[in-house]
Amino acid sequence: RGRGANAWDSPYGCLTFTAHLDIPAARIAVLPFVQYLAASATLRALAPDPATTPAAASSAKLPLRLKWPNDLYAGPHKLCGILCEATTCYSPASSTTSASLYLGIGVNVTNPSPTISLLSLSPPPPAPPPSRETVLARILSELEPR
């Protein structure tokens, strides 16, 4: 689903996934920033530095930008959407609060027209299409704490 009343479509060629994280009480203060961190990590994953990732050099030239708080655009076209939701739970027995965080990300990887995708943004001649698995691995790698 999308934010508010917006629909979130997932046509063939689109990578969509949800990551679930349990957040301990001591870390609940970071919840408001998770969506921004996820958007920044996804931007880095989709436009890697060609000096450190030679195989992704062609995708590093993509004109990607972050539209706060939750969308990535290539020029005027939306390429990726991010939705972050959290629920909190108070435990009277331990007098602690914990949170469950759900991070949903959708990326147009090889979608056909009229949608824009990573494949359609590749410079000519088209490079081999990126796999959804590769894009997922890049995003999860960028989300991993360092």
Side-chain angles (χ1 to χ4, degrees):
R1 72 176 189 81
R3 174 176 274 187
N6 296 333
W8 191 355
D9 295 326
S10 182
Y12 180 79
C14 185
L15 166 67
T16 56
F17 68 95
T18 301
H20 172 251
L21 304 166
D22 287 318
I23 310 295
R27 303 289 292 173
I28 285 182
V30 303
L31 285 177
F33 304 104
V34 171
Q35 184 158 317
Y36 306 121
L37 296 172
S40 295
T42 303
L43 181 62
R44 286 191 311 273
L46 298 181
D49 179 3
T52 59
T53 314
S58 63
S59 65
K61 298 175 185 166
L62 299 179
L64 298 181
R65 67 181 171 86
L66 184 57
K67 181 183 173 220
W68 292 105
N70 63 333
D71 292 325
L72 298 182
Y73 276 73
H77 306 286
K78 184 173 176 179
L79 181 69
C80 172
I82 299 166
L83 183 63
C84 187
E85 292 188 356
T87 58
T88 57
C89 179
Y90 176 73
S91 170
S94 63
S95 296
T96 60
T97 301
S98 62
S100 287
L101 177 75
Y102 298 91
L103 178 62
I105 298 178
V107 182
N108 295 333
V109 179
T110 59
N111 308 34
S113 295
T115 323
I116 195 157
S117 67
L118 292 174
L119 178 61
S120 66
L121 293 171
S122 296
S131 72
R132 289 175 291 188
E133 294 84 356
T134 300
V135 174
L136 176 61
R138 285 183 191 165
I139 293 170
L140 293 177
S141 177
E142 287 294 332
L143 286 170
E144 185 70 27
R146 293 185 159 90

